[in-house]
Amino acid sequence: MRHALILQTDFGTCDGAVSAMYGVAFGVDRELYVRDLTHEIPQYDIWEASYRLIQTVTYWPEGTVFVSVVDPGVGSDRKSIVVKTASGHYIVTPDNGTLTHVKKLIGIQEARIIDESVNRLPNSGESYTFHGRDIYAYCGARLAAGIIDFKGVGPQMPPEDVVELPTIPPVLEHDKVTGIIDVLDVRFGSLWTNIPRETFLQLDVKHGDRVEIAISNQTRTVYKYIMTYARSFADVCIGEPLLYVNSLDCMAVAINQGSFSRAYNVGTGTNWKIIIRKAPRIIYE
């Protein structure tokens, strides 16, 4: 039985790299259903690749095979692996931290190291710089086409040994919750945090209430202001900031019809901290 093959890279589409991966996949099976997750991951940004997987994987049918190639260590001794998630999906990728969010939030049921003596594009053995084409697209296509089953990928490895990037969990204490800016909603400049909605709601905040947002990096506070906790962008005026629940059921900060990240030069990752408090009620007489 065939399954969909979904590709993610940091290659962009200005040259033939992605097309070559498509060609390898169709060379394995011309009937394969191949689609793109994204090829616009910032170069070498393993963290963002990890996040885009968790944003997408579970919305595809069980058995879907994802190939994710953001691989600054290509040609080194890092492993090439395939994992089966607890949701029944497969991810083909270098073992370099790309699976951090999947491992933490979905779970990895089983992991295998790719046996390159079988699952590598024929006559590519002397190429060490395009494993996305020669190993990952080829192995992923064979798995998606049903030419090999999961056992046919190669030897098992303990799921707990799959490499994870450092993460900082959100913390709820007294009247505030602290988290990090996980990633940007790239096109619109919203800040997506790692603070789950359920954790935030323990502050006893309802839609329409005011909240205080403080954002800092390791050196300074870049933003501290009061804004509305809104159901949607339409609840605030154009140009006004808001706190809302994003599509992953976590808290996010935005400017209605503007880019919050660009306006305040906010970045992402564990160095970027956000604190949310319920704002005090102010009565004017």
Side-chain angles (χ1 to χ4, degrees), residues 181-201:
I181 309 299
D182 250 351
V183 76
L184 302 181
D185 183 351
V186 178
R187 186 166 178 82
F188 299 102
S190 305
L191 315 181
W192 285 19
T193 80
N194 69 332
I195 300 171
R197 175 180 55 86
E198 290 185 356
T199 301
F200 164 74
L201 290 179

Side-chain angles (χ1 to χ4, degrees), residues 20 25 48 102 104 117 130 144 146 168 180 188 193 196 200 230 251 280:
E48 180 148 339
V102 166
K104 285 185 174 299
S117 68
F130 198 176
I168 299 176
I180 62 170
F188 299 102
T193 80
F200 164 74
M251 306 313 298

Side-chain angles (χ1 to χ4, degrees), residues 36-252:
D36 300 315
L37 193 162
T38 181
H39 298 291
E40 302 302 325
I41 299 292
Q43 293 97 318
Y44 322 118
D45 194 337
I46 297 167
W47 177 271
E48 180 148 339
S50 173
Y51 203 93
R52 298 307 173 198
L53 286 172
I54 196 64
Q55 185 182 3
T56 309
V57 165
T58 57
Y59 294 98
W60 283 83
E62 286 188 35
T64 298
V65 177
F66 291 81
V67 170
S68 181
V69 188
V70 178
D71 194 14
V74 62
S76 68
D77 59 358
R78 60 94 185 94
K79 297 182 181 70
S80 296
I81 65 173
V82 183
V83 302
K84 182 178 181 181
T85 71
S87 57
H89 300 84
Y90 299 93
I91 305 174
V92 185
T93 188
D95 185 23
N96 60 6
T98 299
L99 294 164
T100 298
H101 289 89
V102 166
K103 185 176 179 181
K104 285 185 174 299
L105 300 178
I106 299 176
I108 295 174
Q109 191 176 85
E110 192 175 350
R112 292 183 176 271
I113 301 170
I114 296 175
D115 181 354
E116 294 183 23
S117 68
V118 177
N119 294 308
R120 183 181 178 121
L121 184 68
N123 303 315
S124 68
E126 294 304 313
S127 174
Y128 299 98
T129 59
F130 198 176
H131 288 176
R133 175 195 65 195
D134 300 336
I135 299 173
Y136 303 126
Y138 185 71
C139 181
R142 284 165 59 82
L143 183 60
I147 294 172
I148 58 170
D149 60 12
F150 188 48
K151 291 182 180 179
V153 166
Q156 282 187 303
M157 65 177 284
E160 58 268 23
D161 288 352
V162 171
V163 171
E164 296 179 63
L165 300 173
T167 58
I168 299 176
V171 176
L172 176 70
E173 51 184 0
H174 306 301
D175 65 338
K176 68 179 182 180
V177 58
T178 302
I180 62 170
I181 309 299
D182 250 351
V183 76
L184 302 181
D185 183 351
V186 178
R187 186 166 178 82
F188 299 102
S190 305
L191 315 181
W192 285 19
T193 80
N194 69 332
I195 300 171
R197 175 180 55 86
E198 290 185 356
T199 301
F200 164 74
L201 290 179
Q202 293 182 57
L203 297 178
D204 190 28
V205 178
K206 298 177 176 59
H207 288 121
D209 288 349
R210 308 286 279 176
V211 292
E212 180 188 87
I213 303 293
I215 299 170
S216 60
N217 56 26
Q218 288 185 316
T219 60
R220 65 190 179 94
T221 298
V222 300
Y223 182 89
K224 189 173 184 180
Y225 202 69
I226 292 175
M227 63 181 67
T228 301
Y229 169 44
R231 188 183 303 273
S232 72
F233 292 83
D235 290 345
V236 301
C237 297
I238 293 174
E240 188 177 345
L242 67 147
L243 179 73
Y244 68 102
V245 178
N246 70 12
S247 59
L248 294 182
D249 208 29
C250 288
M251 306 313 298

Side-chain angles (χ1 to χ4, degrees), residues 237-275:
C237 297
I238 293 174
E240 188 177 345
L242 67 147
L243 179 73
Y244 68 102
V245 178
N246 70 12
S247 59
L248 294 182
D249 208 29
C250 288
M251 306 313 298
V253 177
I255 294 174
N256 187 14
Q257 297 190 31
S259 172
F260 197 103
S261 63
R262 189 178 302 117
Y264 298 100
N265 198 27
V266 177
T268 64
T270 55
N271 292 336
W272 285 90
K273 183 170 71 172
I274 181 169
I275 298 174

